[in-house]
Amino acid sequence: MALGGGGALGLSEIGALQWFEEHHIPVDVIAGTSMGGMISALYATGNSIDQLKAVMNDQVFGSVFRISTSYASRSFRRREDSRDLPNGLTIGLKHGVSFRNSVLIDQGLNSFLDREFLRYDDQVDFNTLPIPFRCLSTDLNEARTVTFARGSIPDAVRASISIPGIYRPFEMNGHEYVDGAVLQNLPAQTVRNDLGADVVIAVSLPLVPVGKKDLDSIVGVLQRSFSVAIEGNERASRKLADVVVEPDLTGFSAGDYLKSAELAERGYAAAEKMKDSLLPYAVDDAAWNAYLAQRTARKRGPAGTLLRVRVAAPNEGVTKNVERIFAPLIDQPVATNKVESLLAAIRSDGRYDADYTVGYDKGPDRRPVLLVTVQDKKTGPPFLELGANVAAQTGGISRATIEGILLDQDFGGYGSELRSHIKLGYLTDFDSEYFRKVPNFLQIRPASPVGTMFVAPHGGILRQPFPIYQGKTRVSERELQKAGGGVDIGWTDGRTTEIRAGWEENDIRWHEQIGIQDGLPNVYGSMQRARVRYALDRQDKAFVPQFGYRVTAEGGYLYDAAGGANAPVFDTQITLGHKFGKEIVAFGTEGGTMFGRNVAQPYRFTLGGPLRLSASALDELRGTDYFLVRPVILRKVASLPAVLGQSIYVGAAYEAGQMRAPDFRTATRQDVFLGVLAETPAGVISFGPALGDGGRYKLIFTLGKLF
């Protein structure tokens, strides 16, 4: 059999294989390209039709097709980046300015292939499989079709399904490979000449007719052009087959990966339509059972316990760290979920690419050997995350910033980094921190780390306007200028938790810019602050969590503060969410206190703005003691394409808050926000009205993060 490629349309080939099995037509050899290569490999290694259908399910495709790593899989510091700049575009600066060379990341795809072909990840002769197998790919270096006949099956399939521009090319031995469909989508010639088949039956996926809107966009034109080019080479390949099965795929597209069952039915129907040509190749029950027994006898058994771990990494520091992480797996059964979990920890900081292969020792027990490969990313570090945040409301001040996070990882040592966050727009802010790992004295033994100690000197400058209100009226605008720095020491587990304690000193300038005299004193001078901060993040997403919670708490002491009293300071924020069917129920609360001290205006808390009393103006309330509670209910009304893993919701939020100060009349407010909220690659977009007590009303729009 020769199975052609075609994205999701290739799932119809499962139905054709099912028809063959039900009618006792043995497949002696098989070859595939792209999706046909993946299905061929799964079938050739001994999977039944039921197993194929179970493997190629919606959940698998949801993990395979991802535009970025999930929030939960990122390190603590990269989660903080995601919260600061959720729509950041990553720019590599290692060799000038460079961007990623694919729409999707391949971590989910690689994990799937490694898991499914665990027993066939070493130097396998593809002729020794339950069904002899070939896989086709396109070599970009030499501009030719390459047929994989031995080696690692995960590598062969990965090379064959690297759709140009969608997945990055697969690199192996100095060559870059992309989808085999570029030059040969239907491997009929390979089945006949390389595998020596007397009879070639091909499942070919016909070119789908042009839809009404298929050519109305650049993407549509490019996709159609690629399909037409493939059709050209496939027509020649069809002529080399004795029987060609062509499923009727009207109404389906190459992106319909969530319709695997319906597509399999189309493949089955296509084989049934060709039964007069196919049934002459059927065998009797005795011959069929003998064929199945031969296939089963060639299947490899369980992998056994791990003999050792070998690490290939860019430097000694990374090598030792990876060896320490993987050491507990030795002499344990090979569990791909555990291996993937440890690889995710290596990748979580965004610094390295990491993958693994499983080979087998030449001893009598053929015990598995794990080879972990860690590689520098081609484009960085340093990296620049570039994006924007917008918060706008009617009858108030809108805020927009262009932001960049400049990150230089392993700066000064493995695990250390220099991070600078730059904001330009309604404010100007430059903040930089050097996160330096220090020897971990809390480590119980080399194979059981319990976290990392760090020291973090930091500094920055800030220019930010602040509106001053009397009632609902904005009477003036003041400007805060701040410059200074400090140092923290702390501990982090690297994934969900960070504790730090530190000190900082800043020069402060707080003065009136425009408007009538607001009666507030100008403040010039310096301030110092000592603090302890705790953060725990176990949410699955940054802003619309479907499960989990996030807690931050900070306590400290403000002293030698120009313009006002010294004061202890404490503030905390808590958010949690849970999904119930199509509904997400979330709850957020925050509060802070300066224990009633008459602290100067530049150091006070603020309230007002989107989801912080939405019907009030941005930073309308200013004081020394406050609280805010915010229950939210969201109902999912639409999903963006599966590759994005994002949704559109309608929802409502109730907000109640209070602000107090020794020289300020206590303000207690409540409001309701009703609107649409969308998770998108550009960040979270929210839009809708907020209705509050006292006749307050705002129309809200946000882009980027939820403020």
Side-chain angles (χ1 to χ4, degrees), residues 532-550:
V532 176
R533 183 179 187 271
Y534 170 78
L536 174 64
D537 188 348
R538 290 185 174 170
Q539 292 183 173
D540 67 317
K541 295 184 178 182
F543 297 111
V544 191
Q546 298 186 9
F547 63 86
Y549 57 91
R550 183 175 185 269

Side-chain angles (χ1 to χ4, degrees), residues 362-597:
K362 295 181 180 180
D365 296 332
R366 296 279 295 167
R367 291 180 63 187
V369 176
L370 186 68
L371 173 61
V372 179
T373 304
V374 180
Q375 295 178 314
D376 288 317
K377 293 204 169 180
K378 290 185 176 180
T379 60
F383 295 104
L384 174 65
E385 293 280 336
L386 191 62
N389 285 307
V390 178
Q393 55 182 191
T394 55
I397 297 174
S398 298
R399 295 181 175 177
T401 53
I402 301 296
E403 302 185 25
I405 297 175
L406 183 61
L407 187 65
D408 195 354
Q409 295 156 299
D410 288 356
F411 182 81
Y414 176 72
S416 300
E417 66 178 41
L418 181 63
R419 179 187 185 272
S420 300
H421 191 174
I422 305 163
K423 303 177 186 177
L424 299 173
Y426 91 94
L427 59 74
T428 302
D429 186 17
F430 176 82
D431 183 64
S432 188
E433 177 183 84
Y434 179 47
F435 178 91
R436 173 71 179 183
K437 292 178 66 174
V438 298
N440 186 2
F441 301 109
L442 297 180
Q443 197 164 287
I444 299 173
R445 62 181 188 274
S448 297
V450 295
T452 300
M453 300 291 295
F454 65 88
V455 59
H458 56 86
I461 57 174
L462 169 69
R463 179 207 58 82
Q464 180 175 357
F466 280 99
I468 303 298
Y469 289 85
Q470 291 180 1
K472 299 180 185 178
T473 304
R474 180 161 62 105
V475 297
S476 69
E477 183 174 286
R478 287 182 164 265
E479 183 176 85
L480 171 64
Q481 297 178 1
K482 182 172 73 171
V487 62
D488 293 337
I489 59 171
W491 171 90
T492 178
D493 68 355
R495 298 304 299 271
T496 63
T497 309
E498 182 184 89
I499 303 171
R500 59 169 65 201
W503 164 89
E504 66 176 343
E505 181 175 7
N506 289 284
D507 181 72
I508 299 292
R509 294 175 179 269
W510 165 266
H511 55 93
E512 193 173 56
Q513 290 284 94
I514 58 174
I516 66 173
Q517 290 191 352
D518 52 29
L520 299 177
N522 294 333
V523 177
Y524 301 98
S526 63
M527 57 78 72
Q528 297 187 63
R529 183 174 65 134
R531 65 159 188 168
V532 176
R533 183 179 187 271
Y534 170 78
L536 174 64
D537 188 348
R538 290 185 174 170
Q539 292 183 173
D540 67 317
K541 295 184 178 182
F543 297 111
V544 191
Q546 298 186 9
F547 63 86
Y549 57 91
R550 183 175 185 269
V551 178
T552 63
E554 184 172 311
Y557 191 75
L558 177 70
Y559 64 100
D560 289 346
N566 298 339
V569 182
F570 177 80
D571 66 274
T572 185
Q573 297 86 35
I574 301 172
T575 59
L576 54 91
H578 194 80
K579 183 179 180 182
F580 300 92
K582 291 186 176 182
E583 280 76 34
I584 294 176
V585 177
F587 179 80
T589 184
E590 61 179 275
T593 179
M594 297 181 180
F595 298 91
R597 305 290 179 86

Side-chain angles (χ1 to χ4, degrees), residues 7 33-38 65 101-106 109-110 113 135-140 148 154-172 175-183 226 230 257:
T33 298
S34 194
M35 178 59 79
M38 179 183 287
F65 299 111
N101 60 356
S102 64
V103 174
L104 304 183
I105 60 172
D106 59 4
L109 173 61
N110 293 341
L113 296 176
C135 189
L136 273 61
S137 182
T138 302
D139 186 337
L140 290 181
F148 288 91
D155 288 352
V157 175
R158 175 65 180 82
S160 183
I161 61 177
S162 296
I163 305 171
I166 304 300
Y167 285 117
R168 63 180 177 177
F170 182 71
E171 184 177 0
M172 182 167 57
H175 289 248
E176 304 262 352
Y177 297 94
V178 296
D179 198 314
V182 171
L183 293 178
F226 187 60
I230 290 173
Y257 290 97

Side-chain angles (χ1 to χ4, degrees), residues 101-387:
N101 60 356
S102 64
V103 174
L104 304 183
I105 60 172
D106 59 4
Q107 294 172 8
L109 173 61
N110 293 341
S111 298
F112 170 78
L113 296 176
D114 290 333
R115 181 172 65 250
E116 293 302 321
F117 301 113
L118 173 65
R119 291 295 283 117
Y120 301 94
D121 201 6
D122 57 345
Q123 292 301 311
V124 180
D125 180 348
F126 293 178
N127 288 327
T128 65
L129 298 177
I131 301 175
F133 161 71
R134 296 293 186 270
C135 189
L136 273 61
S137 182
T138 302
D139 186 337
L140 290 181
N141 299 73
E142 298 185 358
R144 66 184 182 92
T145 296
V146 173
T147 301
F148 288 91
R150 65 175 296 109
S152 164
I153 289 184
D155 288 352
V157 175
R158 175 65 180 82
S160 183
I161 61 177
S162 296
I163 305 171
I166 304 300
Y167 285 117
R168 63 180 177 177
F170 182 71
E171 184 177 0
M172 182 167 57
N173 300 326
H175 289 248
E176 304 262 352
Y177 297 94
V178 296
D179 198 314
V182 171
L183 293 178
Q184 190 177 144
N185 193 46
L186 187 64
Q189 182 176 359
T190 300
V191 172
R192 189 177 298 278
N193 296 340
D194 190 359
L195 288 167
D198 298 312
V199 177
V200 178
I201 300 174
V203 181
S204 176
L205 309 176
L207 185 66
V208 178
V210 177
K212 289 183 179 180
K213 298 183 179 180
D214 287 353
L215 303 180
D216 292 348
S217 67
I218 294 175
V219 174
V221 171
L222 290 174
Q223 186 176 33
R224 183 65 181 182
S225 300
F226 187 60
S227 298
V228 168
I230 290 173
E231 176 67 14
N233 72 58
E234 191 158 346
R235 284 174 182 167
S237 296
R238 291 189 193 115
K239 296 177 181 178
L240 302 177
D242 297 283
V243 181
V244 179
V245 178
E246 293 187 85
D248 178 5
L249 300 173
T250 304
F252 293 93
S253 72
D256 283 335
Y257 290 97
L258 303 186
K259 298 180 180 179
S260 56
E262 297 94 323
L263 285 163
E265 290 174 0
R266 293 293 182 96
Y268 188 96
E272 175 67 20
K273 186 177 179 180
M274 297 295 296
K275 65 180 180 181
D276 290 342
S277 299
L278 294 173
L279 286 177
Y281 304 111
V283 298
D284 59 29
D285 290 349
W288 177 253
N289 290 331
Y291 163 75
L292 293 180
Q294 182 186 47
R295 261 172 47 180
T296 302
R298 293 163 71 107
K299 288 182 66 174
R300 291 189 174 186
T305 58
L306 188 64
L307 177 63
R308 58 181 171 269
V309 176
R310 293 175 177 169
V311 177
N315 57 63
E316 184 179 358
V318 178
T319 300
K320 289 183 177 179
N321 186 66
V322 175
E323 288 174 344
R324 174 178 57 80
I325 290 174
F326 279 86
L329 300 187
I330 295 175
D331 293 326
Q332 300 296 317
V334 178
T336 56
N337 60 331
K338 292 182 179 179
V339 175
E340 280 299 327
S341 178
L342 296 177
L343 284 177
I346 296 170
R347 302 186 194 113
S348 66
D349 207 41
R351 168 66 175 89
Y352 296 103
D353 289 323
D355 204 350
Y356 74 98
T357 56
V358 177
Y360 293 86
D361 182 63
K362 295 181 180 180
D365 296 332
R366 296 279 295 167
R367 291 180 63 187
V369 176
L370 186 68
L371 173 61
V372 179
T373 304
V374 180
Q375 295 178 314
D376 288 317
K377 293 204 169 180
K378 290 185 176 180
T379 60
F383 295 104
L384 174 65
E385 293 280 336
L386 191 62

